[in-house]
Amino acid sequence: MAAAGPVRRTGSPGRPGYDLDSLLAVAVKVFNDKGYDGTSMEALAQRLGITKSSIYHHVSGKAELLELALARALNALFAVTTEDQVTSGRSIDRLEYLVRRSVEVLVTELPYVTLLLRVRGNTAVERRALARRREFDAFVSDLVVAAAEEGDLRPGIDPALTSRLVFGMVNSLIEWYRPRGGESVSELADAVVALTFDGMRA
Amino acid sequence: MAAAGPVRRTGSPGRPGYDLDSLLAVAVKVFNDKGYDGTSMEALAQRLGITKSSIYHHVSGKAELLELALARALNALFAVTTEDQVTSGRSIDRLEYLVRRSVEVLVTELPYVTLLLRVRGNTAVERRALARRREFDAFVSDLVVAAAEEGDLRPGIDPALTSRLVFGMVNSLIEWYRPRGGESVSELADAVVALTFDGMRA
């Protein structure tokens, strides 16, 4: 044989090749369009224009694709919780930074966060993702409690309810936000922070 | 024949009978659990414990059940737009009342609004519902514009974005709110209004 290194098999001649990242991007799009439960490996292979065995070259199956996609969204969100501006300072400022960065993560990782927010817990992979989401929610809720204790919240604010409502607003972006040239992500994040921290009333 | 009035057929002996309202309530639950597309009339009949022909006694088919369910949610929301407190007074107060009542409608009609918010426009019935949703959104957005013109909003507020974010928060209730004994709907509505109009910051 000629001096051939390992050759990436890409299905049939002329078909595009995929690395794991680009394969994952397409899989996530299909999961979001058709639902994870409603997507077969066969349908995935057809959409990718490659054979099923080409997918198995990268992952053990559909569940691993889901796990990788959910991990990408969760890791991006948890990475924010360890940034300097979230680990020191007054809790209200840490909370504001966390909300702002969460909007940015949601927009940057839109398809992955969309998939995460639609998870309902039908499989072990989904239940683990839900558990990590609850961990993130608890982190936010603790920050709201701390901000209240430091006297920086208006009286009568319920911390658990408030964190749910604020992230309800943030997460609702997956329903209507579509990246466009004109508007910047930071303007969007500013609007969410302004509304939830200072309100719209003059 | 004996003096029998019309007899409601309820499928087989001992099976529960349904009027249109109770049939609709079960259908909406199944649509929300399994998805409208994924629900057959056969599955619906099984869940109801009646025959398909018993369902056809009430409606022409699945699409009519969907249309009735979506109309219930939309009519409840549009009814709010004609209440006195929304048709007169300062726009900011009308808007506040509208947000408060929308939370109440969402909680009262939870399964119906949940179905409405998940509609994606695959059928003519769904597209009509989406058109009415857009009409409602435009009504809200116009109120925010008017409130800004009357000088009652903080400077720099983008009306279209703000109405999307506020109703993003309101609509997010379908993801996590479950009616319980302890908390009242009006407390929930108060929390949403306080957060979006005055913010959480002291």
Side-chain angles (χ1 to χ4, degrees):
Chain A
M1 281 177 79
V7 173
R8 281 262 317 293
R9 286 173 308 183
T10 56
S12 43
R15 296 296 194 176
Y18 292 94
D19 59 16
L20 182 55
D21 269 4
S22 56
L23 188 147
L24 196 58
V26 176
V28 167
K29 188 164 171 21
V30 179
F31 291 161
N32 281 333
D33 287 348
K34 309 282 177 198
Y36 173 71
D37 294 331
T39 305
S40 65
M41 284 294 275
E42 189 59 47
L44 219 47
Q46 272 184 18
R47 175 73 163 265
L48 289 156
I50 60 180
T51 61
K52 275 202 285 184
S53 65
S54 303
I55 304 179
Y56 288 121
H57 175 71
H58 292 286
V59 291
S60 60
K62 201 171 81 153
E64 192 179 347
L65 283 170
L66 180 66
E67 185 148 42
L68 289 169
L70 297 177
R72 177 159 161 171
L74 286 161
N75 291 345
L77 286 169
F78 274 95
V80 174
T81 67
T82 62
E83 289 183 32
D84 285 351
Q85 293 93 324
V86 175
T87 55
S88 63
R90 288 188 81 83
S91 298
I92 185 96
D93 298 326
R94 296 158 65 178
L95 182 63
E96 181 179 325
Y97 182 85
L98 183 71
V99 171
R100 185 182 304 276
R101 289 283 294 122
S102 296
V103 172
E104 291 169 0
V105 165
L106 191 140
V107 169
T108 315
E109 305 290 341
L110 193 59
Y112 300 89
V113 179
T114 299
L115 188 65
L116 174 65
L117 294 176
R118 290 186 182 157
V119 154
R120 287 292 169 268
N122 295 331
T123 65
V125 168
E126 292 173 81
R127 283 188 290 276
R128 280 199 295 278
L130 285 178
R132 287 193 75 198
R133 267 194 73 184
R134 280 193 294 274
E135 223 182 294
F136 183 83
D137 292 346
F139 184 90
V140 177
S141 188
D142 287 350
L143 264 186
V144 182
V145 170
E149 284 168 358
E150 291 164 19
D152 289 329
L153 295 195
R154 288 193 309 103
I157 291 274
D158 175 327
L161 180 56
T162 298
S163 49
R164 278 193 148 155
L165 291 173
V166 171
F167 273 80
M169 182 187 286
V170 172
N171 295 341
S172 78
L173 295 176
I174 66 164
E175 300 297 336
W176 58 266
Y177 180 79
R178 295 297 168 263
R180 265 174 294 166
E183 74 204 344
S184 78
V185 176
S186 70
E187 278 166 10
L188 181 66
D190 284 346
V192 171
V193 166
L195 194 52
T196 52
F197 283 72
D198 300 316
M200 70 174 103
R201 204 191 313 262
Chain B
M1 280 176 82
V7 172
R8 283 262 316 291
R9 287 174 307 185
T10 57
S12 42
R15 295 296 194 175
Y18 292 94
D19 58 16
L20 182 55
D21 269 4
S22 56
L23 188 148
L24 197 58
V26 176
V28 167
K29 189 164 168 21
V30 179
F31 290 161
N32 281 333
D33 288 350
K34 308 282 177 198
Y36 173 72
D37 294 331
T39 305
S40 65
M41 284 293 277
E42 190 58 47
L44 218 47
Q46 274 183 17
R47 174 73 163 268
L48 288 156
I50 60 180
T51 60
K52 275 201 283 184
S53 65
S54 303
I55 303 179
Y56 288 120
H57 176 69
H58 293 286
V59 289
S60 59
K62 205 171 78 152
E64 191 179 348
L65 284 170
L66 180 67
E67 185 147 42
L68 289 168
L70 297 177
R72 179 162 159 167
L74 285 161
N75 291 345
L77 285 169
F78 274 95
V80 174
T81 66
T82 62
E83 290 183 32
D84 286 351
Q85 292 94 325
V86 176
T87 54
S88 62
R90 287 188 81 82
S91 297
I92 184 97
D93 298 326
R94 295 158 65 177
L95 182 63
E96 181 179 326
Y97 182 84
L98 182 71
V99 170
R100 185 183 304 277
R101 289 284 294 122
S102 296
V103 172
E104 290 170 1
V105 165
L106 191 140
V107 169
T108 316
E109 305 290 342
L110 193 59
Y112 301 90
V113 179
T114 299
L115 188 65
L116 174 65
L117 294 176
R118 289 185 183 158
V119 155
R120 287 290 168 269
N122 295 332
T123 64
V125 168
E126 291 173 83
R127 283 188 290 275
R128 280 198 295 276
L130 285 178
R132 287 193 74 197
R133 268 194 72 186
R134 280 193 295 273
E135 223 182 294
F136 183 83
D137 292 347
F139 184 91
V140 177
S141 188
D142 287 350
L143 264 185
V144 181
V145 170
E149 285 168 358
E150 291 164 19
D152 289 330
L153 294 195
R154 288 193 309 102
I157 292 271
D158 175 328
L161 180 55
T162 299
S163 50
R164 278 192 148 155
L165 290 173
V166 171
F167 273 79
M169 181 187 284
V170 171
N171 294 341
S172 78
L173 295 174
I174 66 163
E175 299 297 335
W176 58 267
Y177 180 79
R178 295 296 168 266
R180 268 175 291 167
E183 72 204 345
S184 78
V185 176
S186 70
E187 277 165 12
L188 181 66
D190 284 346
V192 171
V193 166
L195 195 52
T196 51
F197 283 73
D198 300 317
M200 70 173 104
R201 205 192 312 263

